């Protein structure tokens, strides 16, 4: 397992607000028994936690990380999902208690992209603590964020200053026609998707908290963070997490390996079903009247898609021009369903569907889940099976 080089982000606005709390927490960690001592972690990494020892404490930043860790450990770890179920992932701000929880964990899982800059700052504040961290983006091949024809990119969530829509000026007439017909502008939810991930400790090194600088390879280069939306990527991520956990708790390594293998097999079967579905419907296109955090999914299966916004976008209302283009394409492809994201306002999808003569449906990015689904113990596989059924009905 390779060391992971971490990229530091800019300080977030809230960091100042929590500075006093951080110092107090670090003081408490140093004086109390709640903190994770470096020697404890080192010993457990070498000898395993053992059934007589406490369970590994894992903190996962989002639902994919939580679900994968849950499947691998099979009840032999204490797992906390940092962002509460039902919450908008990209507007989340950590509380002092969240930071205490991170400081007390043995393993922290997160995505690791531009929208996880706040996590990098939290980890830096615990530079004197010793715990494993895994950035799941490090386990897969990354794609740069993509903007296709017709997408509106104003209000980009990562503040790259782009105010230029992806459509061309020659579509102005189409937009005017759309407005003259009295079609209502819809509101899309302004959720951001995020994620980038960091994994160190895979080599079993004593110093498992790596803080090395990594410069941008280009001033505007940015990778799409929703890597888990590809089932093949999910399999690679699960394997990477399992290897780190098995190194941490070698006594239970075989148990973790078997659990991971079983879950990866479930996902592989689902992957095969998606492949067959798209092979049979190459002429179809996926229409998402919302943000599009499914780049890895689309790339994996060669899916033609149209969406109102890119995966990470802060805009809440599409322009008439964007809507006109989207609706025109939906009519051209005779789309049966316009999809919207989980936990989002579906008004943009609804308005587009009404204009195109289509229905609406949810397409789940698995970034977070409702409180109800969380309490029921819903899994990544179950959410992706919902997506499969929705696509089959739409096609």
């Amino acid at each position: 397992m390779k060391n992971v080089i971490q990229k530091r982000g800019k300080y977030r606005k809230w960091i100042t607000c929590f500075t006093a709390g951080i110092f107090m927490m670090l003081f408490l960690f140093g004086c109390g028994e709640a903190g994770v001592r470096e020697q404890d972690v080192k010993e457990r990494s070498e000898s395993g936690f053992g059934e007589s020892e406490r369970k590994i404490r894992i903190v996962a930043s989002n639902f994919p990380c939580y679900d994968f860790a849950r499947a691998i450990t099979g009840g032999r770890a204490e797992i906390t999902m940092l962002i509460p179920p039902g919450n908008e992932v990209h507007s989340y701000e950590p509380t002092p208690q969240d930071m205490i929880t991170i400081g007390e964990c043995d393993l922290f899982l997160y995505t690791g992209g531009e929208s996880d800059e706040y996590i990098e700052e939290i980890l830096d504040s615990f530079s004197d603590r010793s715990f494993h961290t895994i950035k799941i983006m490090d386990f897969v091949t990354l794609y740069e964020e993509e903007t296709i024809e017709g997408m509106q990119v104003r209000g980009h969530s990562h503040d790259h200053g782009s105010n230029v829509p992806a459509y061309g000026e020659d579509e102005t007439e189409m937009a005017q026609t759309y407005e003259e017909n009295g079609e209502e502008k819809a509101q899309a939810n302004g959720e951001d998707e995020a994620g980038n991930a960091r994994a160190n400790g895979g080599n079993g090194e004593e110093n498992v908290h790596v803080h090395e600088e990594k410069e941008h390879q280009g001033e505007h280069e940015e990778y799409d963070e929703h890597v888990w939306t590809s089932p093949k990527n999910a399999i690679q991520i699960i394997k990477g997490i399992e290897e780190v956990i098995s190194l941490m708790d070698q006594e239970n390594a075989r148990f973790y390996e078997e659990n991971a293998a079983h879950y990866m097999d479930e996902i592989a079967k689902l992957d095969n079903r998606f492949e067959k579905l798209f092979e049979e419907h190459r002429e179809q296109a996926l229409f998402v009247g919302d943000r599009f955090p499914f780049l890895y999914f689309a790339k994996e299966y060669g899916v033609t898609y149209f969406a109102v916004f890119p995966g990470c976008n802060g805009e809440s209302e599409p322009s008439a021009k964007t809507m006109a283009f989207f609706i025109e394409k939906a009519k051209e492809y005779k789309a049966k369903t316009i999809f919207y994201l989980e936990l989002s306002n579906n008004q943009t999808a609804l308005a587009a569907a009404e204009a195109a003569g289509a229905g609406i449906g949810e397409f789940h990015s698995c970034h977070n889940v409702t409180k109800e689904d969380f309490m029921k113990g819903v899994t990544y596989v179950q959410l992706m099976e919902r997506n499969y059924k929705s696509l089959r009905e739409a096609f």
Side-chain angles (χ1 to χ4, degrees):
M1 183 75 62
K2 61 186 177 64
N3 281 338
V4 177
I5 300 176
Q6 176 181 353
K7 174 179 64 181
R8 298 176 189 243
K10 297 179 180 179
Y11 282 95
R12 295 276 181 169
K13 293 185 293 185
W14 56 264
I15 289 293
T16 302
C17 300
F18 289 116
T19 300
I22 294 172
F23 287 142
M24 181 173 291
M25 283 182 283
L26 291 175
F27 174 79
L28 290 173
F29 293 155
C31 298
E33 293 298 321
V36 180
R37 295 189 298 113
E38 182 173 356
Q39 186 62 29
D40 290 342
V41 174
K42 198 160 70 171
E43 289 173 358
R44 291 187 179 98
S45 293
E46 294 170 353
S47 62
F49 279 64
E51 293 188 6
S52 62
E53 299 284 345
R54 66 166 177 80
K55 295 179 178 180
I56 298 176
R57 291 180 294 213
I58 299 174
V59 176
S61 67
N62 57 22
F63 180 75
C65 292
Y66 172 86
D67 179 69
F68 298 160
R70 175 178 57 181
I72 293 165
T73 57
R76 295 189 184 178
E78 296 176 5
I79 307 174
T80 301
M81 190 165 76
L82 196 64
I83 300 174
N87 281 32
E88 206 312 279
V89 173
H90 305 96
S91 60
Y92 163 79
E93 291 187 359
T95 65
Q97 182 57 51
D98 291 335
M99 300 172 79
I100 291 174
T101 300
I102 294 173
E104 292 180 341
C105 78
D106 303 302
L107 174 63
F108 183 68
L109 309 175
Y110 68 115
T111 309
E114 290 291 326
S115 58
D116 270 0
E117 288 178 352
Y118 75 93
I119 288 178
E120 306 289 359
E121 298 301 339
I122 291 176
L123 296 177
D124 283 345
S125 73
F126 293 119
S127 58
D128 62 338
R129 298 293 98 190
S130 182
F131 54 90
H132 294 256
T133 62
I134 292 179
K135 185 188 295 187
I136 64 172
M137 283 180 77
D138 288 324
F139 295 126
V140 302
T141 299
L142 302 177
Y143 291 115
E144 289 186 45
E145 201 169 59
E146 181 173 274
T147 301
I148 64 168
E149 184 182 11
M151 273 185 179
Q152 184 172 314
V153 295
R154 293 187 178 95
H156 194 273
S157 64
H158 299 327
D159 298 320
H160 283 297
S162 174
N163 289 316
V164 182
Y167 43 69
E169 294 301 322
D170 57 347
E171 290 156 11
T172 303
E173 186 176 342
M174 183 188 297
Q176 291 173 343
T177 301
Y178 169 73
E179 290 177 320
E180 289 168 2
N181 288 341
E183 301 285 356
E184 293 182 357
K185 291 184 182 180
Q187 291 185 346
N189 86 63
E191 296 183 337
D192 293 37
E193 298 285 347
N196 203 346
R198 169 162 94 127
N200 81 53
N203 309 352
E205 294 183 357
E206 292 183 2
N207 182 9
V208 296
H209 205 72
V210 177
H211 291 285
E212 299 183 38
E213 296 289 347
K214 180 181 181 182
E215 299 296 330
H216 279 293
Q217 294 180 359
E219 190 65 27
H220 300 289
E221 182 181 64
E222 181 177 331
Y223 292 113
D224 191 290
E225 301 168 351
H226 312 100
V227 292
W228 60 83
T229 59
S230 159
K232 285 185 174 64
N233 279 358
I235 290 172
Q236 294 183 59
I237 292 166
I238 291 167
K239 182 59 177 174
I241 295 174
E242 178 271 312
E243 289 178 359
V244 174
I245 293 176
S246 291
L247 280 171
M248 293 175 63
D249 184 11
Q250 296 177 26
E251 185 173 323
N252 291 304
R254 181 65 180 272
F255 177 76
Y256 300 141
E257 184 179 355
E258 290 175 352
N259 288 344
H262 175 74
Y263 205 46
M264 289 188 291
D265 183 60
E266 285 188 50
I267 297 174
K269 291 176 181 177
L270 184 60
D271 174 50
N272 289 335
R273 293 167 68 192
F274 276 121
E275 286 184 346
K276 291 179 181 178
L277 179 67
F278 287 113
E279 285 174 3
E280 295 170 359
H281 299 280
R282 285 299 177 196
E283 75 285 357
Q284 300 288 346
L286 176 62
F287 284 85
V288 179
D290 212 315
R291 291 173 297 101
F292 193 80
F294 305 104
L295 178 63
Y296 292 90
F297 181 87
K299 294 286 189 183
E300 190 65 60
Y301 302 115
V303 180
T304 299
Y305 70 90
F306 296 92
V308 176
F309 299 112
C312 292
N313 192 87
E315 191 81 0
S316 61
E317 183 176 355
S319 68
K321 190 183 294 185
T322 296
M323 286 293 285
F325 181 88
F326 185 79
I327 291 166
E328 187 70 18
K329 285 297 181 181
K331 290 179 178 178
E332 178 185 330
Y333 278 84
K334 297 180 174 59
K336 295 180 182 179
T337 304
I338 306 297
F339 290 104
Y340 59 90
L341 294 181
E342 75 280 2
L343 303 176
S344 76
N345 183 335
N346 65 7
Q347 294 306 298
T348 298
L350 182 60
E354 289 177 350
I360 63 170
E362 180 186 85
F363 203 73
H364 212 295
S365 73
C366 306
H367 212 157
N368 201 357
V369 295
T370 64
K371 293 179 181 178
E372 181 181 4
D373 275 342
F374 188 80
M375 294 302 295
K376 289 180 179 178
V378 71
T379 67
Y380 169 86
V381 168
Q382 290 171 336
L383 294 176
M384 293 299 282
E385 284 177 343
R386 289 183 195 175
N387 287 345
Y388 173 81
K389 291 176 182 178
S390 296
L391 284 172
R392 189 176 59 187
E393 293 172 2
F395 292 168

